[in-house]
Amino acid sequence: MLESLKEATLEANLEIVRRGLVLYTFGNASGISRDEGLVVIKPSGVDYDRLKPEHMVVTDLEGAIVEGELRPSSDLKTHLALYKAFEEIGAVVHTHSENATAWAQAGREIPALGTTHADYFHGPVPCTRELTDDEIEGDYVLNTGTAIIDRFAGIDPLAVPAVLVAGHAPFAWGRDPHEASHNAVVLEAVAKMAFMTVMLNAQCGVSKTLLDRHYFRKHGARATYGQEKLI
Amino acid sequence: MLESLKEATLEANLEIVRRGLVLYTFGNASGISRDEGLVVIKPSGVDYDRLKPEHMVVTDLEGAIVEGELRPSSDLKTHLALYKAFEEIGAVVHTHSENATAWAQAGREIPALGTTHADYFHGPVPCTRELTDDEIEGDYVLNTGTAIIDRFAGIDPLAVPAVLVAGHAPFAWGRDPHEASHNAVVLEAVAKMAFMTVMLNAQCGVSKTLLDRHYFRKHGARATYGQEKLI
Amino acid sequence: MLESLKEATLEANLEIVRRGLVLYTFGNASGISRDEGLVVIKPSGVDYDRLKPEHMVVTDLEGAIVEGELRPSSDLKTHLALYKAFEEIGAVVHTHSENATAWAQAGREIPALGTTHADYFHGPVPCTRELTDDEIEGDYVLNTGTAIIDRFAGIDPLAVPAVLVAGHAPFAWGRDPHEASHNAVVLEAVAKMAFMTVMLNAQCGVSKTLLDRHYFRKHGARATYGQEKLI
Amino acid sequence: MLESLKEATLEANLEIVRRGLVLYTFGNASGISRDEGLVVIKPSGVDYDRLKPEHMVVTDLEGAIVEGELRPSSDLKTHLALYKAFEEIGAVVHTHSENATAWAQAGREIPALGTTHADYFHGPVPCTRELTDDEIEGDYVLNTGTAIIDRFAGIDPLAVPAVLVAGHAPFAWGRDPHEASHNAVVLEAVAKMAFMTVMLNAQCGVSKTLLDRHYFRKHGARATYGQEKLI
């Protein structure tokens, strides 16, 4: 079942490895079939170079395993929470890529400092609040998803397809696994350049006009995002 | 037509990939035949590993497509503006290479801090002003070229064969595609070393005498640049 | 003798090379058979690409060579001191990996700034005091071990499986050679991200609750570490 | 003639490329036969991947070409000056490696911050004064050598086998081409770690005792360096 989604999800998992975003097994990608309400996700703790499409785990939106003999990624509940809240997205990628993680550890959003950023993210890449002790002691992985969703109140998740979880690492997403992994890779490059830019003491970011121009150059008719509030 | 120029332009496009200046499709190189008034440029959004000489797009200096079935790079108008204004140059390369882009995002010129710089750039690598809102809303790609040309008033473009576009990324050029891609690669190395040098709190750059000495060691008779004003 | 331990120890030595932690011969890994009281360690100054299991040197806990024609790593006495003091560990890895070494040279512990850290290290990665002149003039390699052991008073070495030796470089360890080299590799990634995080002026580290949560997610029953004092 | 020296010198040239110290043709290595008073050096501007032993240029100590059809490296006179002044050395390597060059551009010596440094360099890696305008306008390459030699008054060149030329880049040397290229590679690693250490605001370097201990562990009888003044 879901053969093409399994292949696309595997490919997204391999892309983040090829691009240097993953050390050992620190990362995972999933994809969703909206029609069937099923999610395909990387199994937990399996070496990337042995991964095949048939190793992918299929679950429903509540996390019940529908197919697969391996345990799903331990971050499954975060993925599911994002699929439920962000109905337009078709795939989620989580990594501990070095530069984006440094920003997450610093608890700072990545400001929109240039057109590389603006081509992909229509505004800063937000950083969540820190989880409370109760949230950490409780259903931690689910609560991570909740903190992300809270942070995106008023933000179109397809206009800003990534987030930093404070003290943790980034999540990225997209309409399909290819786009989600692509966004994760670009996020890491943007995070690296933003780090150097901040070090060079940039006084100000890219102007709002330039941000809009670059973003809408790649992202279709202006009307599509007309109702969005940029923060 | 223009077979050797197509091959040289393709090679320049591949060189910036090999040297790590390009993520995905973020970059483009073009070359010009001054005799025929025709420009050869990379097509837009095609993967570098599938590029062949016959994919190159040929346009005239107004951007009309003379040969080629693919759309030219979306930065074509910037390239054309540079060819018109800088009559000595034969090729243009645009990348989002990380270190040079960090300087561009910071809105800072790269100072001449050492002989690696001076061997290629006779003075700082300038940074443009930011574009106005009207320029961004208008013919943005053309206006990017205009901002570069404005910034080079009084600067010989072959003596300083690169620029940083504020909030965007670098452009480099040269007498031919080989030289332009070579300059783009050296610019990235110079930008990286300058970043570290500035971090080490260098108090002052290379002396004017040393700058001249290194530059003119590689760049022919002094008279060639005698009328130039260094800023 | 000890064939499987030799192979595992060789593999740990090769893993730190593959992951970029080693320049030339700057590094060494050892493993211990607790039953036999024998240690297997890399020979001194042999190129990694020529290392074979039979090159491994076998010593007793006092450093007497039991098997092997080559001289053991010059850091042997530090390894032996750690095996004697930390009875739970089964392998030790020493590198001069760039980022962890920068922290060691700065004489600063690596604070727990995120969950990548917390997944492996239950608290900061400590930095030893500097050795005294007498310690340096005396049995320097042994005294390095002593300084590490002093620093771990009150710390469970399996809960914090690495240390920075001030002005020198890191040591990591684990239950077996695979785990020890894995910890050394993760330490280097954590050190790199912590460097960038500190540069971004992080005001505070990961919360104690989040630290516990991540650590105990990977490290078994809470009771195991119940008696531990976190510092 | 000098076949084995040509091969060793070629190998040193290739080693600095393999280790990432060289961009394009920015670097050169030479070796000397003290018995014959002849120097073997890389030809100028030849791609490294086409270099063969027979391309090496042989000159006398005054720079007259004794064998070879290609022009020698443009830095030849600096190499010759070092051979004349430092009688113990057998090879010289010059690169523009990124981290060491950043220190040179900053005009700062690399302090002895750890044992990796102390294993190779018995004290800071010095930085020359800047050349005067007259020196730059005059016999610049020779005067670069003079500035290095001036800086080493009171320093044993084999105890500190590298220098930073202010506003330019490093030179390293050793008893033979293998050792010289090895020192250049270690210098780059030491420069990188020192950069990060300084960024982490290290308050103080490695102690004199530790420096001595590490240095003399690798470099033979103390008496060898007994007459040396460390600065």
Side-chain angles (χ1 to χ4, degrees), chain A residues 129-205:
Chain A
R129 62 175 169 76
E130 293 201 20
L131 298 193
T132 66
D133 286 4
D134 281 352
E135 285 173 321
I136 292 169
E137 296 283 355
D139 199 341
Y140 169 69
V141 179
L142 174 62
N143 292 336
T144 296
T146 305
I148 296 171
I149 295 158
D150 288 352
R151 185 64 187 80
F152 269 69
I155 305 179
D156 176 349
L158 282 183
V160 182
V163 72
L164 308 174
V165 177
H168 186 166
F171 284 78
W173 49 78
R175 269 175 284 251
D176 56 47
H178 174 78
E179 191 176 291
S181 63
H182 190 92
N183 288 340
V185 171
V186 173
L187 173 66
E188 177 63 3
V190 163
K192 184 173 184 183
M193 294 193 291
F195 172 79
M196 287 189 284
T197 304
V198 166
M199 291 298 114
L200 286 169
N201 288 322
Q203 299 300 323
C204 54

Side-chain angles (χ1 to χ4, degrees), chain B residues 15 19 113-116 120 182 185-186 189 192-194 196-197 199-200 202 204-205 207 209-210 213-214 217, chain D residues 23-24 26 74-75 96-99 101-103 105-106 108 130 133 136-138 140-141 167-168 195 198-199:
Chain B
E15 174 68 357
R19 299 288 175 170
L113 294 170
T115 61
T116 321
Y120 287 85
H182 189 93
V185 171
V186 172
K192 185 174 184 183
M193 295 193 292
M196 286 188 285
T197 304
M199 291 296 114
L200 286 168
C204 54
S207 71
T209 316
L210 186 58
R213 174 64 192 228
H214 260 264
R217 193 163 66 149
Chain D
L23 177 65
Y24 291 127
F26 304 175
S74 58
D75 294 305
H96 286 210
S97 64
E98 291 171 346
N99 289 274
T101 300
W103 284 90
Q105 291 188 161
R108 293 177 60 172
E130 293 200 22
D133 285 4
I136 293 169
E137 296 283 355
Y140 169 69
V141 179
H168 186 167
F195 172 79
V198 166
M199 291 298 113

Side-chain angles (χ1 to χ4, degrees), chain D residues 44-118:
Chain D
S44 179
V46 177
D47 283 354
Y48 281 90
D49 51 7
R50 293 188 293 125
L51 274 185
K52 294 186 176 172
E54 58 265 31
H55 295 139
M56 298 292 116
V57 183
V58 181
T59 79
D60 64 22
L61 273 164
E62 303 313 311
I65 295 179
V66 174
E67 188 191 67
E69 298 178 8
L70 297 165
R71 293 166 56 193
S73 163
S74 58
D75 294 305
L76 173 63
K77 284 190 180 177
T78 310
H79 290 241
L80 297 178
L82 297 180
Y83 287 128
K84 289 181 189 172
F86 303 159
E87 297 183 0
E88 311 89 335
I89 71 174
V92 172
V93 168
H94 172 52
T95 80
H96 286 210
S97 64
E98 291 171 346
N99 289 274
T101 300
W103 284 90
Q105 291 188 161
R108 293 177 60 172
E109 67 180 21
I110 303 176
L113 294 170
T115 62
T116 321
H117 183 117

